[in-house]
């Protein structure tokens, strides 16, 4: 009922609101919605819920990217994904090992692998919001969406090497399984499987639509059905189902025909919104708040908070600041900083951590070995980082919006105070003032205006005419600008002869450079036609003096008065 107000005015998305609602309805507050009480196999339930939501989101990103986007931007994605993930994986493991010394470095790598990927659901909700659409370049938004979809599936190799090193006795066996199973079977075969399914369905739907066997609504239904079908086959074969779903979404819209058929359809957006809301309500109720303080495991809120701050600053920002020169879509260090900050951890982290728990021993109390200790510490650490990321990244856009609003209000107040102190029209604040000779009153134009007759025409600060309040003749509007500039006092204002807007920040010369032109020069150049009652033709142009083929223009911010060129 208030979703439009919340999204368009407060810039709050379903990620923050769904999580907050889940926490309130969960077992730690209202105790109405408790997923852990539904079944004893809570990890399996959580894994499948996250799998369906992630697969649908990844398939949607692949479909919504422009045709052949992955082929055209493969170099940028390769530079952005692989080094950034490797750096974040290593630096996160270092801080985890330092803050939780009972975890060895291999176990720290396993936890770090869960926090390495960028969550595509949170990223799509933030980057696809109205604030980002207005303020973030479209090429950067597409790159962040494609990067979040790619690195989510690539978390499998980072996790598998850590799990194999933890569970296998021989490191040689662990590395061999990691290469054969983690890379060749899961990643490579998953990508090929998804691409083949997407390409085959693209051709099949195009053929049936040409024959008149399928309608537009059926195309939209494939949006969800094909995503679930892909992850079903990939999960059955044991390959990387997340990369398979993204590859299927990219190839099914490779020629643009699928996008054309579902254009202007809101069903897919509704499905994404419903799944995302349900997923984050589930996460909010699932969060293990009672495990955030477990001194017997060395887990305390202070250490968790310190770990989150280190990851927030050092996980993505340093590598992107070093590599953005090799990524054409990132054009400045500010965009690199923005891309580094918006690397949220959410659904993907919960999915990977739950997948890791299914491959580890069930922990006893107290844990008997390092594998059980890793299984006991994995979920509390990952879930706290996920909660911090949802709050931080979900509220970043509202804080940015509030900061811009506060800045604009401060500038408006400053300009208002400046106008009150200067007592001159605001469009003349950039004009150059002639130096005052000794003994001249600084505000003589104010005294002249106060001495004018009671029936004189008053001009406010935002007048459409070029009023300068420099002589008592301003009471006669028929004189036009010639009457206003006829009798210049020593404290009057002069204009600068420029071919563009008079603003010291628009040029290296400023308004007081060697090309400065006073109003007497303007009158001399304009010729005998200046004093005509017509004044000329007004148009919308900025302050300044501009030459043309047959006109000479004196400009104010709202209107300019043109005079015929002297013969």
């Amino acid at each position: 009922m208030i979703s439009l107000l919340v999204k368009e005015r407060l810039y709050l998305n379903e990620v923050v609101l769904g999580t907050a609602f889940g926490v309130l309805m969960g077992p730690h507050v209202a105790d109405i919605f408790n997923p852990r009480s539904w079944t004893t196999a809570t990890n399996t339930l959580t894994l499948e819920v996250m799998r369906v939501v992630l697969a649908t989101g990844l398939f949607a990103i692949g479909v919504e990217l422009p045709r052949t986007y992955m082929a055209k931007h493969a170099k940028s994605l390769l530079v952005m994904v692989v080094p950034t993930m490797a750096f974040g994986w290593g630096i996160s493991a270092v801080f985890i090992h330092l803050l939780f010394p009972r975890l060895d470095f291999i176990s720290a790598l396993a936890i770090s692998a869960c926090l390495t990927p960028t969550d595509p659901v949170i990223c799509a909700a933030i980057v696809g919001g109205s604030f980002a659409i207005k303020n973030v370049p479209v090429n950067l938004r597409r790159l962040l969406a494609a990067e979040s979809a790619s690195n989510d599936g690539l978390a499998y190799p980072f996790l598998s090497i850590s799990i194999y090193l933890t569970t296998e006795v021989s490191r040689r066996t662990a590395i061999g399984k990691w290469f054969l199973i983690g890379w060749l079977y899961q990643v490579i075969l998953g990508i090929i499987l998804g691409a083949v399914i997407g390409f085959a369905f693209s051709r099949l739907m195009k053929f049936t639509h040409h024959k008149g066997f399928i309608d537009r609504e059926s195309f939209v239904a494939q949006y969800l059905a094909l995503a679930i079908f892909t992850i079903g086959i990939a999960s059955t074969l044991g390959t990387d189902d997340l990369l398979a779903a993204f590859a299927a979404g990219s190839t099914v819209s490779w020629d643009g025909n699928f996008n054309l058929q579902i254009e202007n359809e809101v069903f897919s957006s509704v499905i994404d919104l419903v799944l995302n809301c349900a997923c984050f309500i589930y996460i909010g109720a699932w969060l293990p708040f009672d495990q955030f303080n477990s001194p017997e495991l060395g887990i305390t809120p202070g250490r968790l908070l310190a770990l989150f701050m280190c990851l927030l600053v050092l996980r993505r920002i340093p590598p992107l600041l070093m590599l953005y020169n090799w990524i054409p879509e990132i054009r400045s260090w500010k965009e690199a900083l923005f891309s580094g900050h918006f690397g949220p951890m959410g659904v993907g982290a919960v999915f990977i951590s739950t997948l890791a728990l299914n491959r580890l021993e069930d922990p006893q109390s107290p844990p008997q070995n390092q594998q059980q200790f890793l299984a006991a510490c994995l979920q509390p650490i990952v879930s706290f980082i996920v909660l911090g990321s949802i709050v931080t990244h979900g509220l970043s856009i509202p804080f940015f919006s509030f900061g811009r609003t506060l800045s604009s209000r401060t500038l408006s107040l400053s300009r208002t105070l400046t106008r009150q102190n200067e007592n001159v029209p605001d469009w003349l604040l950039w004009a150059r003032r002639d130096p005052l000779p000794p003994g001249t009153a600084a505000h003589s134009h104010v005294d002249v205006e106060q001495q004018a007759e009671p029936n004189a025409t008053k001009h406010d600060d935002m007048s459409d005419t070029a009023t300068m309040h420099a002589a008592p003749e301003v009471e006669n509007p028929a004189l036009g600008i010639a009457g206003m500039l006829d009798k210049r006092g020593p404290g009057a204002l002069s204009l600068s002869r420029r071919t563009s807007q008079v603003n010291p920040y628009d040029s290296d010369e400023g308004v007081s450079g060697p090309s400065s032109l006073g109003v007497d020069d303007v009158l001399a150049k304009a010729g005998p036609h200046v004093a005509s009652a017509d004044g000329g033709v007004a148009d919308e142009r900025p302050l300044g003096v501009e030459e043309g083929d047959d006109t000479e223009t004196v400009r104010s911010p709202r209107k300019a008065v043109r005079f015929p060129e002297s013969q």
Side-chain angles (χ1 to χ4, degrees):
M1 292 183 288
I2 58 172
S3 60
L4 184 62
L5 173 65
V6 172
K7 286 186 176 182
E8 300 295 331
R9 298 295 181 87
L10 302 179
Y11 298 108
L12 291 175
N13 50 53
E14 65 272 12
V15 174
V16 178
L17 298 177
T19 305
F21 185 78
V23 172
L24 293 176
M25 296 293 105
H28 300 285
V29 182
D31 198 14
I32 299 175
F33 183 72
N34 186 7
R36 296 181 184 273
S37 65
W38 296 348
T39 177
T40 55
T42 305
N43 290 335
T44 303
L45 174 64
T46 303
L47 181 68
E48 298 308 320
V49 171
M50 300 300 119
R51 189 195 305 273
V52 171
V53 175
L54 274 176
T56 306
L58 293 173
F59 185 86
I61 292 176
V63 169
E64 292 169 1
L65 287 174
R67 53 184 299 182
T68 67
Y69 181 87
M70 298 301 294
K72 295 178 181 177
H73 300 266
K75 177 184 175 182
S76 299
L77 288 171
L78 185 65
V79 173
M80 187 173 183
V81 171
V82 177
T84 303
M85 288 189 70
F87 181 89
W89 182 49
I91 198 67
S92 300
V94 170
F95 284 108
I96 292 172
H97 180 60
L98 291 176
L99 291 171
F100 305 95
R102 294 181 60 182
L103 289 167
D104 60 22
F105 191 70
I106 301 300
S107 299
L109 285 175
I111 298 177
S112 176
C114 303
L115 304 174
T116 297
T118 302
D119 187 69
V121 179
I122 301 179
C123 186
I126 295 175
V127 177
S130 58
F131 184 90
I133 292 176
K134 296 177 184 176
N135 298 279
V136 181
V138 62
N139 60 309
L140 186 59
R141 286 189 278 116
R142 289 172 178 170
L143 181 68
L144 290 177
E147 185 250 352
S148 65
S150 302
N151 66 14
D152 219 61
L154 287 176
Y156 273 85
F158 294 97
L159 176 66
S160 60
I161 183 62
S162 306
I163 297 297
Y164 287 138
L165 289 174
T166 301
T167 57
E168 297 294 333
V169 178
S170 171
R171 291 195 173 184
R172 181 175 182 179
T173 304
I175 295 176
K177 286 186 175 181
W178 174 65
F179 179 75
L180 292 176
I181 300 177
W183 276 105
L184 294 182
Y185 188 77
Q186 290 184 336
V187 174
I188 304 300
L189 182 60
I191 295 175
I192 295 175
L193 178 65
V196 170
I197 292 175
F199 181 79
F201 268 81
S202 174
R203 294 296 182 182
L204 181 61
M205 288 188 292
K206 192 174 182 179
F207 174 78
T208 55
H209 182 264
H210 179 71
K211 293 294 184 179
F213 299 155
I214 187 174
D215 55 4
R216 185 183 180 91
E217 288 74 14
S218 300
F219 267 94
V220 180
Q222 296 299 324
Y223 194 96
L224 180 62
L226 186 56
I228 297 178
F229 177 75
T230 302
I231 63 172
I233 294 180
S235 300
T236 303
L237 296 177
T239 62
D240 192 335
D241 45 2
L242 301 185
L243 279 179
F246 180 56
S250 299
T251 52
V252 78
S253 60
W254 195 260
D255 58 356
N257 180 66
F258 188 81
N259 305 68
L260 183 64
Q261 298 300 326
I262 66 172
E263 188 177 7
N264 298 325
E265 290 289 345
V266 298
F267 176 76
S268 57
S269 301
V270 172
I271 291 297
D272 284 342
L273 180 62
V274 171
L275 290 177
N276 292 347
C277 290
C279 177
F280 284 100
I281 291 174
Y282 182 94
I283 290 177
W286 167 86
L287 289 172
F289 287 95
D290 55 335
Q291 300 180 24
F292 291 162
N293 187 20
S294 302
E296 67 278 6
L297 300 176
I299 298 175
T300 61
R303 291 182 179 181
L304 292 174
L305 184 61
L307 175 62
F308 173 71
M309 297 303 297
C310 293
L311 298 185
L312 187 66
V313 177
L314 300 175
R315 172 172 154 263
R316 281 173 55 89
I317 294 177
L320 283 178
L321 287 176
M322 292 186 292
L323 295 172
Y324 80 90
N325 288 325
W326 286 273
I327 305 174
E329 290 82 2
I330 302 179
R331 301 170 183 173
S332 66
W333 68 268
K334 294 181 180 180
E335 293 186 356
L337 183 63
F338 176 85
S339 303
H341 171 70
F342 279 100
M345 297 157 281
V347 182
V350 176
F351 174 78
I352 299 296
S353 63
T354 310
L355 183 65
L357 285 177
N358 288 340
R359 299 184 180 182
L360 296 173
E361 295 181 11
D362 293 332
Q364 300 179 11
S365 183
Q368 301 300 313
N369 52 42
Q370 186 62 215
Q371 186 175 163
Q372 292 185 11
F373 191 77
L374 171 60
C377 295
L378 183 62
Q379 205 166 76
I381 295 177
V382 172
S383 58
F384 183 88
I385 301 300
V386 168
L387 177 61
S389 179
I390 289 174
V391 174
T392 303
H393 295 102
L395 296 180
S396 293
I397 296 299
F399 274 110
F400 287 158
S401 176
F402 176 76
R404 294 186 61 179
T405 303
L406 183 62
S407 176
S408 63
R409 290 181 178 179
T410 303
L411 291 175
S412 300
L413 179 61
S414 175
R415 292 190 62 184
T416 301
L417 295 177
T418 302
R419 288 198 300 266
Q420 292 176 353
N421 295 332
E422 294 286 343
N423 199 18
V424 295
D426 59 347
W427 57 271
L428 287 177
L429 294 178
W430 290 112
R432 180 177 62 86
R433 296 182 181 274
D434 285 344
L436 299 176
T440 304
H443 301 285
S444 59
H445 61 287
V446 180
D447 299 334
V448 172
E449 180 181 349
Q450 292 175 351
Q451 295 173 5
E453 295 182 4
N455 59 350
T457 303
K458 302 295 184 179
H459 299 279
D460 58 8
D461 289 344
M462 297 300 294
S463 174
D464 290 341
T465 58
T467 307
M468 292 190 178
H469 303 288
E473 284 79 5
V474 298
E475 66 186 64
N476 187 0
L479 290 177
I481 195 170
M484 288 181 262
L485 302 180
D486 184 40
K487 294 184 179 181
R488 297 173 63 223
L493 297 170
S494 64
L495 302 177
S496 175
R497 181 185 184 89
R498 292 171 57 86
T499 58
S500 61
Q501 183 177 358
V502 178
N503 189 327
Y505 297 102
D506 291 343
S507 172
D508 295 333
E509 291 184 3
V511 295
S512 57
S515 62
S516 178
L517 182 66
V519 280
D520 288 337
D521 301 325
V522 175
L523 296 177
K525 186 72 176 176
H529 302 283
V530 171
S532 63
D534 296 341
V537 180
D539 63 354
E540 300 285 339
R541 294 181 182 273
L543 178 64
V545 180
E546 187 174 282
E547 294 181 351
D549 296 335
D550 57 354
T551 60
E552 184 84 10
T553 307
V554 178
R555 293 178 176 173
S556 71
R558 290 195 173 186
K559 297 196 174 183
V561 182
R562 295 186 178 181
F563 305 101
E565 186 74 33
S566 56
Q567 302 297 328

